[in-house]
Amino acid sequence: MKEAYTNKKTGEIQDTVMRDVIELVKTQKDAFLASQPISSDDDSSAASTNFSQLHINQMVEAAVPKRKGHLIGLARWTSSCPSSSQAPYVDPIIMEHLQNKDDRIVALETHNTTILAELADQKKTNQDILEKMKRLFPNDFYVFFITTF
């Protein structure tokens, strides 16, 4: 809504009614977000506060004045009831494919972790072997190492 009423040249909202509505909704949103407990699920974003689009629509609907039964500045505003566009159709086949891909990703990440651990173990073993060879053959090891590589 803010972008629709902002003058592109000046960057200001010239319609005083819309400016007041936008400021009121922003103040209400900030107050609502401040009153919510901070989530500790490694997600500190506003999405974790259950602040939905429906709630924003209800705040806008309450803040926007009505003229002749219509909300000023909003085209075809029916109500704050969820519409079919807010609950999109979910294809079960696509969801199954997504779940399969998610499972594959988890399996590949686990396999990758295992390979990295094995690689680290092999690297440590190689270093131990090199140290033992240096101790057993202090003079010959350096010449052998240079000529083989």
Side-chain angles (χ1 to χ4, degrees):
M1 217 170 114
K2 184 177 180 179
E3 289 83 19
Y5 287 96
T6 301
N7 184 323
K8 306 303 183 237
K9 292 180 182 177
T10 63
E12 296 179 5
I13 300 172
Q14 295 175 334
D15 187 350
T16 56
V17 173
M18 285 290 121
R19 184 181 327 126
D20 293 342
V21 167
I22 291 169
E23 288 176 8
L24 177 64
V25 171
K26 184 176 180 339
T27 304
Q28 289 175 348
K29 181 185 90 165
D30 292 342
F32 178 80
L33 291 174
S35 70
Q36 296 297 311
I38 296 176
S39 176
S40 62
D41 300 328
D42 296 328
D43 184 16
S44 60
S45 67
S48 65
T49 61
N50 297 329
F51 196 62
S52 67
Q53 186 67 38
L54 178 62
H55 193 219
I56 293 172
N57 289 346
Q58 289 172 343
M59 287 184 353
V60 170
E61 187 177 0
V64 174
K66 292 184 180 182
R67 185 180 302 150
K68 295 183 182 179
H70 298 284
L71 297 172
I72 296 175
L74 299 176
R76 294 186 183 195
W77 188 270
T78 55
S79 71
S80 59
C81 297
S83 67
S84 62
S85 65
Q86 290 177 341
Y89 171 72
V90 178
D91 187 1
I93 295 172
I94 292 175
M95 292 307 294
E96 182 181 344
H97 286 297
L98 283 174
Q99 184 61 42
N100 291 342
K101 299 247 184 224
D102 288 345
D103 294 343
R104 262 187 91 200
I105 289 170
V106 169
L108 288 171
E109 287 174 345
T110 304
H111 188 251
N112 191 25
T113 303
T114 304
I115 290 172
L116 288 174
E118 290 172 358
L119 183 63
D121 288 343
Q122 185 63 42
K123 186 176 181 180
K124 185 174 180 344
T125 303
N126 290 348
Q127 287 177 341
D128 290 345
I129 291 171
L130 282 175
E131 288 175 12
K132 286 179 184 178
M133 288 180 70
K134 283 180 185 178
R135 277 186 271 135
L136 291 172
F137 310 106
N139 296 332
D140 298 333
F141 182 76
Y142 182 71
V143 174
F144 173 75
F145 187 73
I146 290 176
T147 58
T148 57
F149 295 102

